[in-house]
Amino acid sequence: MYTSYSTLQRKQLSKQVYTDTQSTYLLVYAPGRHKALQAALQNQLHRKFRLVTRLEDELTPDVAGVLLVSEDVECTPTALTYFAVALREGADLAVCDAAFGFDGSTALYLSTRHLPGSSCALVSRALLDKVRAAARGKDSVTELLRLAHAMAQHSRCIPQALLHFRRELCADDVFSAKGRRALISSHELTMTGAPIVLVSAVPVLRSLGFEVVVLGPSDEGSLPLFLDAGAAVVTRPDCVTSSALWGLATSADFVLANTVVEAPVVNTLNGSFVPVLWWLHDAFAGYPFISHSIPKALGKNVHLCAVGSHATAAMHSVRPDFEIEQLIYGLPDYAAEQFPRYDISFAGGRPLFVTVGSLEHRKGPDIFCNAIRLLPSAVREKAAFLFVGKAADKGMYNAVDSLVRDYPQTVFYRKRLERPEVKSLMEQCNCVVCASRDDPMPTFVTEGLIFGKPSIVSEHTGTAGLVTEGVDGFLYKDDDPQQLADKLAWAIEGAGRHARQLPPPVRAAVLQRILCSYPDKAGKRADGRGRIMKKQCRTAARCPALLFHGRGFPILSNPPNCPTKFRFRSQRAAGDVLY
């Protein structure tokens, strides 16, 4: 039986802990076809249950809850145990993640803030009685599920794939029958820049009334961030190249395709009735491998945006006639959050210079290494340098490793840090350094600016357009290690004056360029110093890049008098639109 489970289910089963729930009496109500369900129920660890095809005369006083099942489905041996635990903990409605497809290669992860009308849910006895009364005596399982989702007061999502539907996933599994639908398609769900900044789009779309679903290949670190933001996530290894899940896009009111790698998806939707925002974050290096998939012309339903002039130039290198608007990163004010403190005692109290990114030629770690070697010994020993990122290129890793071996008290390397650790690192470091040869908008530099840290960046980064020379950062040219070394030396020697926290007025100006207008608990926008930011709400008429019309109503427009907490705002002088 174990071999019939999906890969995700097998992975989760190995970590699940048994809980004694035998005192909780459950009914499994499956009036339709239930052959696979009946076979799976024979292996349940929770034994106090009955499978019934009608509720009349079956709801004895001992029944604590009923699992409503509208279609045949397989389940893991721990399914009823988890549902019983949720019932004991006060939930009146409980749903769970699920696997789809014959081999279970498609996985659905639900968020507590996004619970579509599931075809299988546990309902408490009290809620069931209310639902049956509202259903006027009709025990249609689909009607009971619909009413239960509408009337539940304490819904809970169990973060385990307890169910396996042998059919393919469809729109009804991820979207409710009513409401506006947004689909975000990403070629990866890693902890790299593009997925991380994409997370900040979820609360913006939700504030505009959208149910948000994210489609990606697999969980490689950022999936929990999307769930926490309130989106449901669907994963499938071939989601970019396979059309199996593109039906989700045709049933959506808005599609956000993230990065140029989503070109096959854009090709499919090009010229259709579905409005598409194609958001480019990509460097020049990737275009030779994907240019053949980029449409020759874009339909009126596709709007192209980029994170700055660098990403714009990369697309124009293969499609010079494309019209591209600017939509730069909008990140929350991480400096106002609470997170565990990352230990940087290895720096020994010296100014800490940090670079974050995979060790590959495009990211230029060798340039940073050479610049550190060019520093006079007396200057180099006054600072500490930290490289963070996985080794994607052997030659680049060897350059960093050699430097660490030569200067073990000064240079340090970490393969990976968790998100809270990165935030803490940005808070404590003295300066961020980006030596990339080709980088549209390095996220860690933007995060450093949010924490008020000065930066030293290459001219070949999109961030160069955000940095004001000598005010909030420094620029070096021509990928020249000597120029970078000169900037480092100047910052190290003047660490008491230069490589420190940016002055409040400077940081406030930076925040206006790069932050989202996220509300606090009182529904008010606050800056990093806790003050209320009284910013004028601007209508979508000033944000042409974000105006989409489909199905008879504007999709990404702000109503003129709507007091929404989140609004798209336009920097017309700079030509950049932030959300």
Coordinates of all heavy atoms in Angstrom, one line a residue, residues 355-433:
T355 N 28.1 39.9 0.9 CA 27.5 39.7 -0.4 C 26.7 38.4 -0.4 O 27.1 37.4 0.2 CB 28.6 39.6 -1.5 OG1 28.0 39.5 -2.8 CG2 29.5 38.4 -1.3
V356 N 25.5 38.4 -1.0 CA 24.6 37.3 -1.0 C 24.3 36.9 -2.4 O 23.8 37.8 -3.2 CB 23.3 37.6 -0.2 CG1 22.4 36.3 -0.1 CG2 23.7 38.0 1.3
G357 N 24.4 35.7 -2.8 CA 24.1 35.2 -4.1 C 24.8 34.0 -4.5 O 25.9 33.7 -3.9
S358 N 24.3 33.2 -5.4 CA 25.0 32.0 -5.9 C 26.3 32.3 -6.4 O 26.6 33.3 -7.0 CB 24.1 31.3 -6.9 OG 23.9 32.1 -8.0
L359 N 27.3 31.4 -6.2 CA 28.6 31.6 -6.7 C 28.7 31.1 -8.1 O 29.0 30.0 -8.4 CB 29.6 30.8 -5.8 CG 29.6 31.1 -4.3 CD1 30.6 30.3 -3.6 CD2 29.7 32.6 -4.0
E360 N 28.5 32.1 -9.0 CA 28.5 31.8 -10.5 C 29.1 33.0 -11.1 O 29.2 34.1 -10.6 CB 27.1 31.5 -11.0 CG 26.1 32.7 -10.7 CD 24.7 32.3 -11.3 OE1 24.6 32.2 -12.5 OE2 23.8 32.2 -10.5
H361 N 29.6 32.8 -12.4 CA 30.3 33.9 -13.1 C 29.5 35.2 -13.2 O 30.1 36.3 -13.0 CB 30.7 33.4 -14.5 CG 31.5 34.3 -15.3 ND1 31.0 35.3 -16.1 CD2 32.9 34.5 -15.3 CE1 32.0 36.0 -16.7 NE2 33.1 35.6 -16.2
R362 N 28.2 35.1 -13.4 CA 27.4 36.2 -13.6 C 27.3 37.1 -12.3 O 27.3 38.3 -12.4 CB 26.0 35.8 -14.0 CG 25.0 36.9 -14.2 CD 23.7 36.4 -14.7 NE 23.0 35.6 -13.7 CZ 22.2 36.1 -12.8 NH1 22.0 37.4 -12.7 NH2 21.6 35.3 -11.9
K363 N 27.4 36.5 -11.2 CA 27.4 37.2 -9.9 C 28.7 37.8 -9.5 O 28.7 38.6 -8.5 CB 26.9 36.2 -8.8 CG 25.5 35.7 -9.0 CD 24.4 36.8 -8.7 CE 23.0 36.2 -8.7 NZ 22.0 37.3 -8.4
G364 N 29.7 37.5 -10.2 CA 31.0 38.1 -9.9 C 31.7 37.9 -8.6 O 32.4 38.9 -8.1
P365 N 31.6 36.8 -8.0 CA 32.3 36.6 -6.7 C 33.8 36.7 -6.8 O 34.5 37.1 -5.9 CB 31.9 35.2 -6.2 CG 31.4 34.5 -7.5 CD 30.9 35.5 -8.3
D366 N 34.3 36.3 -8.0 CA 35.8 36.4 -8.2 C 36.2 37.8 -8.3 O 37.4 38.1 -7.8 CB 36.1 35.7 -9.6 CG 35.4 36.3 -10.8 OD1 34.2 36.6 -10.6 OD2 36.0 36.3 -11.9
I367 N 35.4 38.8 -8.7 CA 35.7 40.2 -8.7 C 35.9 40.7 -7.3 O 36.8 41.4 -6.9 CB 34.7 41.0 -9.5 CG1 34.6 40.6 -10.9 CG2 35.0 42.5 -9.3 CD1 33.5 41.3 -11.7
F368 N 34.9 40.3 -6.4 CA 35.0 40.7 -5.0 C 36.2 40.0 -4.4 O 36.9 40.7 -3.6 CB 33.7 40.2 -4.3 CG 33.5 40.8 -3.0 CD1 34.2 41.9 -2.5 CD2 32.6 40.2 -2.1 CE1 34.0 42.4 -1.3 CE2 32.4 40.8 -0.8 CZ 33.1 41.9 -0.4
C369 N 36.5 38.8 -4.7 CA 37.7 38.1 -4.1 C 39.0 38.9 -4.5 O 39.8 39.1 -3.7 CB 37.8 36.7 -4.6 SG 36.5 35.6 -3.9
N370 N 39.1 39.2 -5.8 CA 40.3 39.9 -6.2 C 40.4 41.3 -5.6 O 41.5 41.7 -5.3 CB 40.3 40.1 -7.8 CG 40.4 38.7 -8.5 OD1 41.0 37.8 -7.9 ND2 39.9 38.6 -9.7
A371 N 39.3 42.0 -5.4 CA 39.3 43.3 -4.8 C 39.8 43.2 -3.3 O 40.5 44.0 -2.8 CB 37.9 43.9 -4.8
I372 N 39.3 42.1 -2.6 CA 39.8 41.9 -1.2 C 41.3 41.6 -1.2 O 42.0 42.1 -0.3 CB 39.0 40.8 -0.6 CG1 37.5 41.1 -0.4 CG2 39.6 40.4 0.8 CD1 36.6 40.0 0.0
R373 N 41.8 40.9 -2.2 CA 43.2 40.6 -2.2 C 44.0 41.9 -2.5 O 45.2 42.0 -2.1 CB 43.5 39.5 -3.3 CG 43.0 38.1 -2.9 CD 43.4 37.1 -4.0 NE 42.9 35.8 -3.7 CZ 43.5 34.9 -2.9 NH1 44.6 35.3 -2.2 NH2 43.0 33.7 -2.6
L374 N 43.4 42.8 -3.3 CA 44.2 44.0 -3.6 C 44.2 45.0 -2.5 O 45.0 46.0 -2.6 CB 43.5 44.7 -4.8 CG 43.6 43.9 -6.2 CD1 42.7 44.6 -7.2 CD2 45.1 44.0 -6.6
L375 N 43.4 44.8 -1.4 CA 43.5 45.7 -0.3 C 44.8 45.6 0.4 O 45.4 44.5 0.6 CB 42.4 45.4 0.7 CG 40.9 45.7 0.3 CD1 39.9 45.1 1.3 CD2 40.7 47.2 0.1
P376 N 45.4 46.7 0.9 CA 46.6 46.6 1.7 C 46.3 45.8 3.0 O 45.2 45.8 3.5 CB 46.9 48.1 2.1 CG 46.2 48.9 1.0 CD 45.0 48.1 0.6
S377 N 47.3 45.0 3.4 CA 47.1 44.1 4.6 C 46.5 44.9 5.8 O 45.6 44.4 6.5 CB 48.4 43.4 4.9 OG 48.8 42.6 3.8
A378 N 47.1 46.1 6.0 CA 46.6 46.8 7.2 C 45.2 47.2 7.1 O 44.5 47.2 8.1 CB 47.5 48.0 7.4
V379 N 44.7 47.5 5.9 CA 43.3 47.9 5.7 C 42.4 46.6 5.8 O 41.3 46.6 6.4 CB 43.1 48.6 4.3 CG1 41.6 48.9 4.1 CG2 43.9 49.9 4.3
R380 N 42.8 45.5 5.1 CA 42.0 44.3 5.0 C 41.8 43.8 6.4 O 40.7 43.3 6.7 CB 42.7 43.3 4.2 CG 41.9 42.0 4.0 CD 42.5 41.1 2.9 NE 44.0 40.9 3.2 CZ 44.9 41.3 2.3 NH1 44.6 41.9 1.2 NH2 46.2 41.1 2.6
E381 N 42.7 43.8 7.3 CA 42.6 43.3 8.6 C 41.7 44.1 9.5 O 41.3 43.6 10.6 CB 44.0 43.2 9.3 CG 44.9 42.2 8.6 CD 46.3 42.2 9.2 OE1 46.6 43.1 10.0 OE2 47.1 41.4 8.7
K382 N 41.3 45.3 9.1 CA 40.4 46.1 9.9 C 38.9 45.7 9.6 O 38.0 46.3 10.3 CB 40.5 47.6 9.6 CG 41.9 48.1 10.0 CD 42.0 49.6 9.6 CE 43.3 50.2 10.0 NZ 43.4 51.6 9.6
A383 N 38.6 44.8 8.7 CA 37.2 44.5 8.3 C 37.1 43.0 8.2 O 38.0 42.2 8.3 CB 36.9 45.2 7.0
A384 N 35.8 42.6 8.1 CA 35.5 41.2 7.9 C 34.6 41.1 6.7 O 33.8 42.0 6.4 CB 34.7 40.6 9.1
F385 N 34.7 40.0 5.9 CA 33.9 39.8 4.6 C 33.2 38.5 4.7 O 33.8 37.5 5.0 CB 34.9 39.9 3.4 CG 35.7 41.1 3.4 CD1 37.0 41.2 4.0 CD2 35.3 42.3 2.8 CE1 37.8 42.3 4.0 CE2 36.1 43.4 2.7 CZ 37.3 43.4 3.4
L386 N 31.9 38.5 4.3 CA 31.1 37.3 4.3 C 30.5 37.0 3.0 O 29.8 37.9 2.4 CB 30.0 37.4 5.4 CG 29.0 36.2 5.5 CD1 29.7 34.9 5.9 CD2 27.9 36.6 6.5
F387 N 30.7 35.8 2.4 CA 30.1 35.4 1.2 C 28.9 34.4 1.6 O 29.2 33.5 2.4 CB 31.1 34.6 0.3 CG 32.1 35.5 -0.3 CD1 33.2 35.9 0.4 CD2 32.0 35.9 -1.6 CE1 34.2 36.7 -0.2 CE2 33.0 36.7 -2.2 CZ 34.1 37.1 -1.5
V388 N 27.7 34.6 1.1 CA 26.6 33.7 1.3 C 26.0 33.3 0.0 O 25.7 34.1 -0.8 CB 25.5 34.4 2.2 CG1 24.3 33.4 2.4 CG2 26.1 34.9 3.5
G389 N 26.0 32.0 -0.2 CA 25.4 31.5 -1.5 C 25.9 30.1 -1.9 O 27.0 29.7 -1.5
K390 N 25.0 29.4 -2.6 CA 25.4 28.0 -3.0 C 26.4 28.1 -4.1 O 26.5 29.0 -4.9 CB 24.2 27.2 -3.4 CG 23.5 27.8 -4.6 CD 22.3 26.9 -5.0 CE 21.6 27.5 -6.2 NZ 20.4 26.6 -6.6
A391 N 27.2 27.0 -4.2 CA 28.3 26.9 -5.2 C 27.7 26.4 -6.5 O 27.5 25.2 -6.7 CB 29.4 26.0 -4.8
A392 N 27.4 27.4 -7.4 CA 26.8 27.0 -8.7 C 27.8 26.8 -9.8 O 27.6 26.2 -10.8 CB 25.8 28.0 -9.2
D393 N 29.0 27.3 -9.5 CA 30.1 27.2 -10.5 C 31.4 26.8 -9.8 O 31.8 27.5 -8.8 CB 30.3 28.6 -11.2 CG 31.4 28.5 -12.3 OD1 32.6 28.6 -11.9 OD2 31.1 28.4 -13.5
K394 N 32.1 25.8 -10.2 CA 33.2 25.3 -9.5 C 34.3 26.3 -9.4 O 35.0 26.5 -8.4 CB 33.7 24.0 -10.2 CG 34.8 23.3 -9.4 CD 35.2 22.0 -10.0 CE 36.3 21.3 -9.3 NZ 36.7 20.0 -9.9
G395 N 34.6 27.0 -10.5 CA 35.7 28.0 -10.6 C 35.4 29.1 -9.6 O 36.3 29.6 -8.9
M396 N 34.2 29.6 -9.5 CA 33.8 30.7 -8.6 C 33.9 30.2 -7.2 O 34.4 31.0 -6.3 CB 32.4 31.2 -8.9 CG 32.2 31.8 -10.3 SD 33.2 33.3 -10.6 CE 34.5 32.6 -11.7
Y397 N 33.5 29.0 -6.9 CA 33.6 28.5 -5.5 C 35.1 28.3 -5.1 O 35.4 28.7 -4.0 CB 32.9 27.1 -5.4 CG 33.2 26.4 -4.1 CD1 32.6 26.9 -2.9 CD2 34.1 25.4 -4.0 CE1 32.8 26.3 -1.7 CE2 34.4 24.8 -2.8 CZ 33.7 25.3 -1.6 OH 34.0 24.7 -0.4
N398 N 35.9 27.9 -6.1 CA 37.3 27.7 -5.7 C 38.0 29.1 -5.4 O 38.9 29.2 -4.6 CB 38.1 27.1 -6.9 CG 37.7 25.6 -7.1 OD1 37.2 25.0 -6.1 ND2 37.9 25.0 -8.3
A399 N 37.5 30.1 -6.1 CA 38.1 31.5 -5.8 C 37.7 31.9 -4.4 O 38.6 32.5 -3.7 CB 37.5 32.5 -6.9
V400 N 36.5 31.6 -4.0 CA 36.1 32.0 -2.7 C 36.7 31.1 -1.6 O 37.3 31.6 -0.6 CB 34.5 31.9 -2.5 CG1 34.1 32.2 -1.1 CG2 33.8 32.9 -3.5
D401 N 36.8 29.8 -1.9 CA 37.4 28.9 -0.9 C 38.9 29.2 -0.7 O 39.4 29.2 0.4 CB 37.2 27.5 -1.5 CG 37.7 26.4 -0.5 OD1 37.2 26.4 0.7 OD2 38.7 25.7 -0.9
S402 N 39.6 29.5 -1.8 CA 41.0 29.9 -1.7 C 41.2 31.1 -0.9 O 42.1 31.2 -0.1 CB 41.6 30.1 -3.1 OG 42.9 30.5 -3.1
L403 N 40.3 32.1 -1.0 CA 40.4 33.3 -0.3 C 40.1 33.1 1.2 O 40.8 33.6 2.1 CB 39.4 34.4 -0.8 CG 39.4 35.8 -0.2 CD1 40.7 36.5 -0.7 CD2 38.2 36.6 -0.6
V404 N 39.2 32.2 1.5 CA 38.9 31.9 2.9 C 40.1 31.2 3.5 O 40.4 31.4 4.7 CB 37.6 31.0 3.0 CG1 37.4 30.5 4.4 CG2 36.4 31.8 2.5
R405 N 40.7 30.3 2.8 CA 41.9 29.6 3.3 C 43.1 30.6 3.5 O 43.8 30.4 4.5 CB 42.3 28.5 2.3 CG 41.3 27.3 2.3 CD 41.7 26.3 1.2 NE 40.7 25.3 1.0 CZ 40.7 24.1 1.8 NH1 41.7 24.0 2.7 NH2 39.8 23.2 1.6
D406 N 43.2 31.5 2.7 CA 44.3 32.5 2.8 C 44.1 33.5 3.9 O 45.1 33.9 4.5 CB 44.6 33.2 1.5 CG 45.1 32.3 0.4 OD1 45.5 31.2 0.7 OD2 45.0 32.7 -0.8
Y407 N 42.9 33.8 4.2 CA 42.6 34.8 5.2 C 41.5 34.3 6.1 O 40.4 34.9 6.1 CB 42.2 36.2 4.6 CG 43.2 36.7 3.6 CD1 42.9 36.6 2.2 CD2 44.3 37.3 4.0 CE1 43.8 37.1 1.3 CE2 45.3 37.8 3.0 CZ 45.0 37.7 1.7 OH 45.9 38.1 0.8
P408 N 41.7 33.2 6.9 CA 40.7 32.6 7.7 C 40.1 33.5 8.8 O 39.0 33.2 9.3 CB 41.4 31.4 8.2 CG 42.8 31.7 8.3 CD 43.0 32.6 7.1
Q409 N 40.8 34.5 9.2 CA 40.4 35.4 10.3 C 39.6 36.6 9.7 O 39.0 37.4 10.5 CB 41.6 35.9 11.1 CG 42.4 34.8 11.7 CD 41.6 33.9 12.6 OE1 40.7 34.3 13.4 NE2 41.8 32.6 12.5
T410 N 39.6 36.7 8.4 CA 39.0 37.9 7.8 C 37.8 37.6 6.8 O 36.9 38.3 6.8 CB 40.1 38.7 7.0 OG1 41.1 39.0 7.9 CG2 39.5 40.0 6.4
V411 N 38.0 36.5 6.1 CA 37.0 36.1 5.1 C 36.2 34.9 5.5 O 36.8 33.9 5.9 CB 37.6 35.9 3.7 CG1 36.6 35.6 2.6 CG2 38.5 37.1 3.3
F412 N 34.9 34.9 5.3 CA 34.0 33.8 5.8 C 33.0 33.4 4.7 O 32.7 34.3 3.9 CB 33.3 34.2 7.1 CG 34.2 34.6 8.2 CD1 34.5 36.0 8.3 CD2 34.8 33.8 9.1 CE1 35.4 36.5 9.3 CE2 35.7 34.2 10.0 CZ 36.0 35.6 10.1
Y413 N 32.6 32.2 4.7 CA 31.6 31.7 3.7 C 30.6 30.8 4.4 O 30.8 30.0 5.2 CB 32.4 30.8 2.7 CG 31.4 30.1 1.7 CD1 30.6 30.7 0.8 CD2 31.4 28.7 1.8 CE1 29.8 30.0 0.0 CE2 30.5 28.0 1.0 CZ 29.7 28.6 0.1 OH 28.9 27.9 -0.8
R414 N 29.3 31.1 4.0 CA 28.2 30.3 4.4 C 27.4 29.9 3.2 O 27.1 30.7 2.3 CB 27.2 31.1 5.3 CG 27.9 31.6 6.6 CD 28.2 30.4 7.6 NE 28.8 30.9 8.8 CZ 30.1 31.1 9.0 NH1 30.9 30.8 8.1 NH2 30.5 31.5 10.2
K415 N 27.1 28.6 3.1 CA 26.4 28.1 1.9 C 25.0 28.6 1.8 O 24.5 29.0 0.7 CB 26.4 26.6 1.9 CG 25.7 25.9 0.7 CD 25.7 24.4 0.7 CE 25.1 23.8 -0.5 NZ 25.1 22.3 -0.4
R416 N 24.3 28.7 3.0 CA 22.9 29.1 2.9 C 22.5 29.6 4.3 O 22.9 29.1 5.3 CB 22.0 28.0 2.5 CG 20.5 28.4 2.6 CD 19.6 27.2 2.1 NE 18.2 27.6 2.3 CZ 17.2 26.8 1.9 NH1 17.4 25.6 1.4 NH2 15.9 27.2 2.1
L417 N 21.7 30.7 4.3 CA 21.0 31.2 5.5 C 19.5 31.2 5.3 O 19.0 31.4 4.2 CB 21.5 32.6 5.8 CG 23.0 32.8 6.1 CD1 23.3 34.3 6.4 CD2 23.4 32.0 7.3
E418 N 18.8 30.9 6.4 CA 17.4 31.0 6.3 C 16.9 32.5 6.3 O 17.7 33.4 6.6 CB 16.7 30.3 7.6 CG 17.1 28.8 7.7 CD 16.5 28.0 6.5 OE1 15.5 28.4 6.0 OE2 17.2 27.0 6.2
R419 N 15.7 32.7 5.9 CA 15.2 34.1 5.7 C 15.4 34.9 7.0 O 15.9 36.1 6.9 CB 13.7 34.1 5.3 CG 13.5 33.7 3.8 CD 14.2 34.7 2.9 NE 13.7 36.1 3.0 CZ 14.2 37.2 2.5 NH1 15.4 37.1 2.0 NH2 13.7 38.3 2.7
P420 N 15.0 34.4 8.2 CA 15.2 35.3 9.3 C 16.7 35.6 9.6 O 17.0 36.7 10.1 CB 14.6 34.4 10.5 CG 13.7 33.5 9.8 CD 14.3 33.2 8.5
E421 N 17.6 34.6 9.2 CA 19.0 34.9 9.4 C 19.5 35.9 8.4 O 20.4 36.8 8.8 CB 19.8 33.6 9.2 CG 19.5 32.5 10.2 CD 20.2 31.2 10.0 OE1 20.2 30.8 8.8 OE2 20.6 30.6 10.9
V422 N 19.0 35.9 7.2 CA 19.4 37.0 6.2 C 18.9 38.3 6.7 O 19.7 39.3 6.6 CB 18.8 36.6 4.8 CG1 19.0 37.8 3.9 CG2 19.4 35.4 4.3
K423 N 17.7 38.4 7.2 CA 17.2 39.7 7.7 C 18.1 40.2 8.9 O 18.4 41.4 8.9 CB 15.8 39.6 8.2 CG 14.8 39.3 7.0 CD 13.4 39.1 7.5 CE 12.4 38.7 6.4 NZ 11.1 38.4 6.9
S424 N 18.4 39.3 9.8 CA 19.2 39.7 10.9 C 20.6 40.1 10.4 O 21.2 41.0 11.0 CB 19.4 38.5 11.9 OG 20.2 38.9 13.0
L425 N 21.2 39.4 9.4 CA 22.5 39.7 8.9 C 22.4 41.1 8.3 O 23.4 41.9 8.5 CB 22.9 38.7 7.8 CG 24.2 38.9 7.2 CD1 25.4 38.9 8.2 CD2 24.4 37.9 6.1
M426 N 21.4 41.4 7.5 CA 21.2 42.8 6.9 C 21.2 43.8 8.0 O 21.7 45.0 7.8 CB 20.0 42.8 6.0 CG 20.1 42.0 4.8 SD 21.4 42.5 3.6 CE 22.5 41.1 3.7
E427 N 20.5 43.5 9.1 CA 20.4 44.5 10.2 C 21.7 44.8 10.9 O 22.0 45.9 11.3 CB 19.4 43.9 11.2 CG 19.2 44.9 12.4 CD 18.3 44.2 13.5 OE1 18.6 43.0 13.8 OE2 17.4 44.9 14.0
Q428 N 22.6 43.8 11.0 CA 23.8 43.9 11.7 C 25.1 44.3 10.9 O 26.0 44.8 11.5 CB 24.1 42.6 12.5 CG 23.0 42.2 13.5 CD 23.4 40.9 14.2 OE1 24.2 40.9 15.1 NE2 22.7 39.9 13.8
C429 N 25.0 44.0 9.6 CA 26.2 44.2 8.8 C 26.4 45.7 8.6 O 25.6 46.6 8.9 CB 26.1 43.5 7.5 SG 25.0 44.3 6.3
N430 N 27.6 46.1 8.1 CA 27.9 47.5 7.9 C 27.7 48.0 6.5 O 27.4 49.1 6.2 CB 29.4 47.8 8.3 CG 29.6 47.6 9.8 OD1 29.7 46.5 10.3 ND2 29.6 48.7 10.6
C431 N 27.9 47.0 5.5 CA 27.8 47.4 4.1 C 27.5 46.2 3.3 O 28.0 45.1 3.6 CB 29.1 48.1 3.7 SG 29.1 48.7 1.9
V432 N 26.7 46.3 2.2 CA 26.4 45.2 1.3 C 27.2 45.5 0.0 O 27.3 46.6 -0.5 CB 24.9 45.0 1.0 CG1 24.2 44.5 2.3 CG2 24.3 46.2 0.5
V433 N 27.7 44.4 -0.6 CA 28.6 44.6 -1.8 C 28.0 43.6 -2.9 O 27.8 42.4 -2.6 CB 30.0 44.2 -1.5 CG1 30.9 44.3 -2.8 CG2 30.6 45.0 -0.4

